[in-house]
Structure formats: C-alpha cells, structure tokens
Amino acid sequence: MTQEPSPTAQPAGAPEPEPIRWFGTSWVERGGDYRLRRVLVPVGALLCAAAAALVLRFAVDGIRVADNGGFLNGLLVAAVAICSLLAALRTWKLLTEGKESLTGWMAEEKSLGVVWIIGGVGALLAYFVRSLREAPGEAVRRARYERELDRHERRQANRSGRPGARTPGRAKRGR
C-alpha cells in the first residue's frame, strides 16, 4: 500500500500526519477510499482471528489426543484464555491511548512475546472491535496531529512578517 500525501495542501514547515497501517493518511479528512478500508479492515481482522482460533484449536486438540488427563487439558485451555485476555487488553490500550501509555507488564515486548503470540486471537478481536468505531489508532494520531497543527499555527501567528528579511535602506553593520 502506498503512502499517499496529505489530502490538503499544507504550507511549508507544517507537520505531516502519521500514516496508519492499511489507511495511510486517508484518515485525516476521511475521504477517498477511507470508507472502503473501514469496511475491509474489520472483516480482515475477523477472518484472521477465526484462522488463529482454528490453529489454536488444532494445537489444543493435539495435546488432548496425547491423553494427558483432564487437569492438563483444563490448564492449557485456561492458559490460552488468559493469554488472549492479556493480549486483548494490551491491544485495546495501544489502539486507544498509544504506545507511550504502555507501562509495566504491557510494555514488555521480548519477555512476554510468547504470551502475545498465544493471545493473538484476543489481540485480533480487540483490533476488530476497535476498527468498528474508527481506524485503529486514529484517535491517538488525530489528537497528536491536531496538537502539532495548533503548535505550528501559534508559531506562525507569533512571527511578525518575515524574520529573515531586512528593512530596505539599512545596511548590515560591521563589527
């Protein structure tokens, strides 16, 4: 997918919006193919969650075939459910508040990587539910982009004329 430029012409030095995966920068004005992507992304997330659940089902059934006992089977199902719940919570927080808001166990990438992989179904379901409301991560990026635009506009308003220009007829003083 290509990164399309911002839909409106921005003046030089104005902040650029951050692209969102699958949406590029179409989220800024919600134009063009934004609506089509808003339909396709949740469908894709739901299909991926179903495929991941099927893979997990085969893995759990493989352990059941080994006939290790009911306790081990129950423990395995509980572990998958807990991992899915943790991954869903982390994904929801990531999409609603941004990566910088992750603290504690949610911020762990490498040490809890296996938990995030096993809990992929929960993460995909959280992504699906969030994508029903907006492009996942759009609220965080929109708030950041609007803050940067406001900051840029205030800087531009505080400038008086052209700061690098000299008044005509005044020579540069030598020191």
Side-chain angles (χ1 to χ4, degrees):
M1 173 166 285
T2 61
Q3 301 292 331
E4 62 240 20
S6 179
T8 59
Q10 294 288 342
E16 292 291 324
E18 295 178 49
I20 297 177
R21 180 180 292 164
W22 314 117
F23 290 89
T25 56
S26 66
W27 60 269
V28 175
E29 291 189 7
R30 296 179 177 167
D33 54 350
Y34 176 79
R35 294 186 203 305
L36 176 65
R37 293 176 189 190
R38 282 289 311 278
V39 171
L40 293 178
V41 165
V43 169
L46 196 58
L47 289 174
C48 288
L54 187 64
V55 168
L56 278 175
R57 166 92 192 250
F58 287 146
V60 170
D61 282 347
I63 300 294
R64 273 197 195 131
V65 168
D67 197 29
N68 290 322
F71 178 72
L72 185 61
N73 291 338
L75 195 61
L76 180 63
V77 169
V80 169
I82 290 170
C83 289
S84 292
L85 177 67
L86 293 176
L89 288 173
R90 180 180 188 269
T91 302
W92 189 264
K93 185 163 180 138
L94 184 71
L95 294 175
T96 57
E97 299 176 19
K99 188 169 184 123
E100 54 278 346
S101 71
L102 296 179
T103 58
W105 61 269
M106 284 189 181
E108 293 292 325
E109 292 287 333
K110 295 189 181 202
S111 62
L112 292 176
V114 174
V115 173
W116 307 142
I117 291 171
I118 294 171
V121 173
L124 286 167
L125 289 176
Y127 193 88
F128 165 74
V129 171
R130 190 63 191 176
S131 64
L132 292 175
R133 179 159 185 231
E134 66 179 6
E138 180 181 344
V140 174
R141 293 211 173 115
R142 185 171 298 282
R144 189 178 309 141
Y145 177 62
E146 288 175 356
R147 267 194 318 268
E148 291 295 320
L149 274 179
D150 287 343
R151 188 177 305 148
H152 175 72
E153 288 171 2
R154 277 185 273 142
R155 278 195 311 255
Q156 294 299 329
N158 289 339
R159 290 185 176 175
S160 58
R162 297 183 326 182
R166 298 195 179 273
T167 54
R170 292 190 67 181
K172 187 176 179 182
R173 290 187 182 186
R175 291 190 185 223

